[in-house]
Amino acid sequence: MFTTTLAKPSNPIPEDLFSGINDLKKELNAVILAHYYQDNDIQDIADYIGDSLGLSQQAAATNADVIVFAGVHFMAETAKILNPNKLVLLPDLNAGCSLADSCPPDKFAQFKAANPDHLVISYINCTAEIKALSDIICTSSNAVKIVSQIPKDKPIIFAPDRNLGRYVMEQTGREMLLWNGSCIVHETFSEKEIIRLKLENPDAEIIAHPECEPHLLKHAAYIGSTTALLKYSQISNSNKFIVATEPGIIHQMEKETPDKIFIPAPGMNKNCACNECPHMRLNTLEKLYLAMKNKTPEIILPENIRLAALKPMLKMLEMS
Ligand code: 13P
Ligand code: SF4
């Protein structure tokens, strides 16, 4: 009879992930930046939680040697554009973005070449290649402010989100040439269901992200970026909100004002969690731990693209 000694399976994941991650944070001199659309436990361990503008401002200012970006690929790429000498980690390299994917660089370069007199303003939710083809970057919190600063006679291309573009046109009274891109999460909300929820909760205010479609935005009492929605929920006299953006933000809303009620706006299909961003939710606490432990997956960018993308990013930070 033969006996075999099986190697004990090595379990690289500690039972207490929070202290494991905190130990690695000290060891690596790392900072964890997380978007509001991350799982609650990732938000709870992050050093900074914010919207795209806040996160890029933090990335631009950090003294850490390692940036762990709990968000999607274009956000980690943005951190790398601003920090070429730092190690930038993304827990799951497949965490992409449907909106960024809706704007392929070759097609966008043709669109730009067909309109050579236009200034190109791109929403930060795009790849580094698109940023490199842009004059100014904006986010949902500063898009109106940035477009308002452009001389009236200068024609503008706005890419890639057509819904944010339309919203900015409405707010500024400026015509812009829009790229026809959109976000799967913000286009999933059902107007019918939101109206039904509002009828059931007449005391609730509908608050919405400008990536939502215009027919939905017209029902909103307040429209803004994730940080703006969070702030509004704190200062509003209302005690109940129907929240039309990715429901990850509700974790912070409930933390800030525990006595208020937040109802996630439903998608077309009530049986799926379609209002959760499938890309953002690829990151988990385990993957975050492993990324720090193994110092991978790392964001790497060709230097020519990084330099070209840096210019419009710096312009945004200066104009914000
Ligand atoms: P903000 O972070 O600007 O609110 O945008 C939301 C979003 O869709 C991020 O992917
Ligand atoms: Fe992209 Fe939309 Fe997900 Fe934001 S919520 S990362 S825009 S797919």
Side-chain angles (χ1 to χ4, degrees), residues 35 37 51-52 74-75 123 125 140 209 211 225-226 280:
H35 192 270
Y37 297 167
D51 68 355
S52 307
F74 76 80
M75 295 179 170
Y123 186 30
N125 298 29
S140 59
H209 195 280
E211 282 177 29
S225 77
T226 42
M280 287 275 183

Side-chain angles (χ1 to χ4, degrees), residues 35 37 52 97-99 123 125 140 161-164 181-191 194 207-217 223-226 229 243-249 265-268 274-278 280:
H35 192 270
Y37 297 167
S52 307
C97 168
S98 68
L99 178 53
Y123 186 30
N125 298 29
S140 59
D161 191 52
R162 61 170 181 248
N163 292 325
L164 177 64
S182 62
C183 155
I184 45 164
V185 175
H186 289 89
E187 291 214 322
T188 199
F189 298 118
S190 156
E191 184 181 13
I194 286 190
I207 56 175
H209 195 280
E211 282 177 29
C212 294
E213 290 178 288
H215 66 267
L216 215 124
L217 291 180
I223 299 167
S225 77
T226 42
L229 296 179
V243 184
T245 190
E246 216 270 9
I249 184 72
M268 315 276 178
C274 316
N275 54 4
E276 284 187 3
C277 174
M280 287 275 183

